[in-house]
Amino acid sequence: MAKRDYYEVLGVTKSASADEIKKAYRKLAIQYHPDKNPDNPEAEDKFKEAAEAYEVLSNPEKKQRYDQFGHQGVGGAGGFGGGGMNMDDIFSQFGDIFGGGGGGGFGSFFGGGGGRRTKKGTNLRVKMKLTLAEIANGVEKKIKVKRHLIADGVTFKSCSACQGSGQVKKVVNTMLGQMVSASTCGVCGGSGQIVDKKPADADARGLIVKEEVISINIPGGVAEGMQLSMSGKGNEIPGGIAGDLLIVIEEIEDKVLQRDGNNVIYDLYVSFIDAALGASIEVPTIEGKVKIKIDQGTQSGKMLRLKGKGIKDINGYTKGDQLIMVNVWTPTHLSKEEKEALEGLRDSDNFKPDPGNSEKSFFDKMKEFF
């Protein structure tokens, strides 16, 4: 089923402020929270949907990419991070929208267990430079990434400071009765575990830095600035889950072809002779050179189309086209013989401009092709 528009999910407009987006998400999070809707799959789906929308719209960079490219601009394609958020990701947001340190405060708000939530390792970000040919149809790339990984032979034991809960609770007596506050354990960092035994090359958390070769399948049709995500390929963390690997796309400018959405544009310069008499000319495309026919009497500014010679649509199986802009080249230096030959044709009616009504203006041509 197609994803709903994130603004529609939260019930806000594109011009909504950060506070309005946060308030809208807070309202939905309370309404559909699992503690209030036990054994209700529909409520859980809405809870996750709202969290995913907030995760994008609360981040200025992701919001900008979403406004420009839609769901595919924030990792919604090609087997990357478009499958929605897990519950651990969602509960990690609550320190932001409810002002607490994490999921525990939110659970207490509903009178639920508020137990330790699984922590997540930090994300890694890499830039991926792609040629126009690689962008057109997609490509598999292998990159080297240095990650923090739990070392072989590390053993953990329950944290004595929080008894493995990951939280330290404090009871305060007030005139309204006892109030319990919970904060992340400073000894184990909220994981509920501390290192028991570790190899010599591991740090105090039992982690080592290791370089790995990771294979990345880039879908066809990605664009400059688009961010893709590979779940679990970031840094690991004791007692938690690994972060993600974020891939930021950078387009290498092609020296010959220019990208325009899913179409590519090529400026073709032809001689006056070829334009007047017609010719068969070889032109470059993303997939290699092809021959095209220049009709007799072709005018400068004419646009030709090569169907399906553009870039694959990231949302489907269609491909853009290649548009060829024909430019008739006027020589800047003529020999004496060439000048005399052209002077003899100056008064010929065939060489006098006569566009008539059949010739379309530049703007009419642009409307026709775009």
Side-chain angles (χ1 to χ4, degrees), residues 167-186:
Q167 293 183 335
V168 177
K169 295 184 179 181
K170 184 178 180 180
V171 179
V172 179
N173 292 316
T174 69
M175 61 182 296
L176 299 176
Q178 288 188 333
M179 296 187 66
V180 180
S181 63
S183 59
T184 301
C185 177

Side-chain angles (χ1 to χ4, degrees), residues 86-250:
N86 60 41
M87 297 301 280
D88 297 317
D89 292 329
I90 296 171
F91 286 118
S92 69
Q93 295 176 342
F94 292 158
D96 174 35
I97 67 166
F98 290 97
F106 192 75
S108 300
F109 177 82
F110 288 108
R116 172 170 58 89
R117 303 292 180 186
T118 303
K119 292 181 71 66
K120 186 176 182 179
T122 55
N123 295 333
L124 296 175
R125 186 188 300 266
V126 296
K127 292 182 179 180
M128 179 71 69
K129 292 181 181 249
L130 300 174
T131 65
L132 188 61
E134 291 171 334
I135 288 171
N137 298 303
V139 66
E140 181 179 357
K141 289 278 190 176
K142 293 183 185 295
I143 61 169
K144 291 182 178 179
V145 177
K146 289 184 177 180
R147 303 172 59 198
H148 282 95
L149 302 175
I150 298 174
D152 293 335
V154 173
T155 59
F156 297 92
K157 62 182 179 180
S158 180
C159 176
S160 58
C162 63
Q163 285 74 50
S165 68
Q167 293 183 335
V168 177
K169 295 184 179 181
K170 184 178 180 180
V171 179
V172 179
N173 292 316
T174 69
M175 61 182 296
L176 299 176
Q178 288 188 333
M179 296 187 66
V180 180
S181 63
S183 59
T184 301
C185 177
V187 176
C188 65
S191 68
Q193 298 178 347
I194 57 175
V195 173
D196 182 23
K197 296 179 181 179
K198 68 180 183 69
D201 58 344
D203 64 15
R205 297 175 297 165
L207 299 175
I208 59 171
V209 177
K210 185 176 180 181
E211 187 174 72
E212 287 189 355
V213 177
I214 297 177
S215 180
I216 303 174
N217 287 309
I218 305 293
V222 294
E224 173 78 25
M226 189 176 290
Q227 180 173 283
L228 308 176
S229 173
M230 293 186 72
S231 179
K233 292 298 184 180
N235 290 321
E236 293 183 348
I237 186 172
I241 59 175
D244 301 331
L245 175 62
L246 307 178
I247 302 100
V248 181
I249 302 300
E250 290 188 352

Side-chain angles (χ1 to χ4, degrees), residues 250-325:
E250 290 188 352
E251 293 187 16
I252 300 174
E253 185 176 355
D254 194 272
K255 296 180 179 179
V256 178
L257 302 174
Q258 180 182 349
R259 180 177 184 178
D260 181 31
N262 288 335
N263 294 327
V264 293
I265 299 174
Y266 175 65
D267 277 313
L268 172 64
Y269 289 89
V270 300
S271 69
F272 167 76
I273 304 299
D274 286 340
L277 301 179
S280 178
I281 296 179
E282 201 173 56
V283 298
T285 70
I286 293 175
E287 300 170 352
K289 293 185 177 181
V290 299
K291 280 193 173 183
I292 63 169
K293 180 182 178 183
I294 301 297
D295 291 332
Q296 178 180 328
T298 294
Q299 302 297 318
S300 187
K302 184 172 183 178
M303 285 184 280
L304 307 176
R305 183 191 297 268
L306 297 179
K307 194 74 174 175
K309 293 294 185 181
I311 295 170
K312 182 179 178 181
D313 191 318
I314 195 170
N315 288 321
Y317 298 98
T318 60
K319 294 184 70 173
D321 304 327
Q322 177 165 326
L323 305 179
I324 299 172
M325 313 285 289

Side-chain angles (χ1 to χ4, degrees), residues 4-160:
R4 287 203 298 156
D5 179 78
Y6 286 151
Y7 292 101
E8 179 186 345
V9 170
L10 296 184
V12 297
T13 64
K14 284 191 175 183
S15 60
S17 66
D19 285 340
E20 289 172 332
I21 291 172
K22 183 185 292 186
K23 287 178 182 178
Y25 173 45
R26 186 181 189 276
K27 180 179 178 182
L28 292 173
I30 293 172
Q31 180 180 354
Y32 295 113
H33 190 274
D35 286 353
K36 293 188 68 177
N37 302 272
D39 302 321
N40 187 338
E42 184 178 352
E44 182 177 338
D45 288 342
K46 289 185 178 295
F47 183 68
K48 291 180 179 179
E49 182 183 46
E52 184 177 332
Y54 176 71
E55 195 267 340
V56 171
L57 299 185
S58 63
N59 183 305
E61 292 183 5
K62 291 184 179 181
K63 183 177 184 295
Q64 182 180 7
R65 290 196 301 271
Y66 178 74
D67 290 343
Q68 186 175 1
F69 300 110
H71 292 295
Q72 69 270 23
V74 288
F80 290 87
M85 302 176 66
N86 60 41
M87 297 301 280
D88 297 317
D89 292 329
I90 296 171
F91 286 118
S92 69
Q93 295 176 342
F94 292 158
D96 174 35
I97 67 166
F98 290 97
F106 192 75
S108 300
F109 177 82
F110 288 108
R116 172 170 58 89
R117 303 292 180 186
T118 303
K119 292 181 71 66
K120 186 176 182 179
T122 55
N123 295 333
L124 296 175
R125 186 188 300 266
V126 296
K127 292 182 179 180
M128 179 71 69
K129 292 181 181 249
L130 300 174
T131 65
L132 188 61
E134 291 171 334
I135 288 171
N137 298 303
V139 66
E140 181 179 357
K141 289 278 190 176
K142 293 183 185 295
I143 61 169
K144 291 182 178 179
V145 177
K146 289 184 177 180
R147 303 172 59 198
H148 282 95
L149 302 175
I150 298 174
D152 293 335
V154 173
T155 59
F156 297 92
K157 62 182 179 180
S158 180
C159 176
S160 58

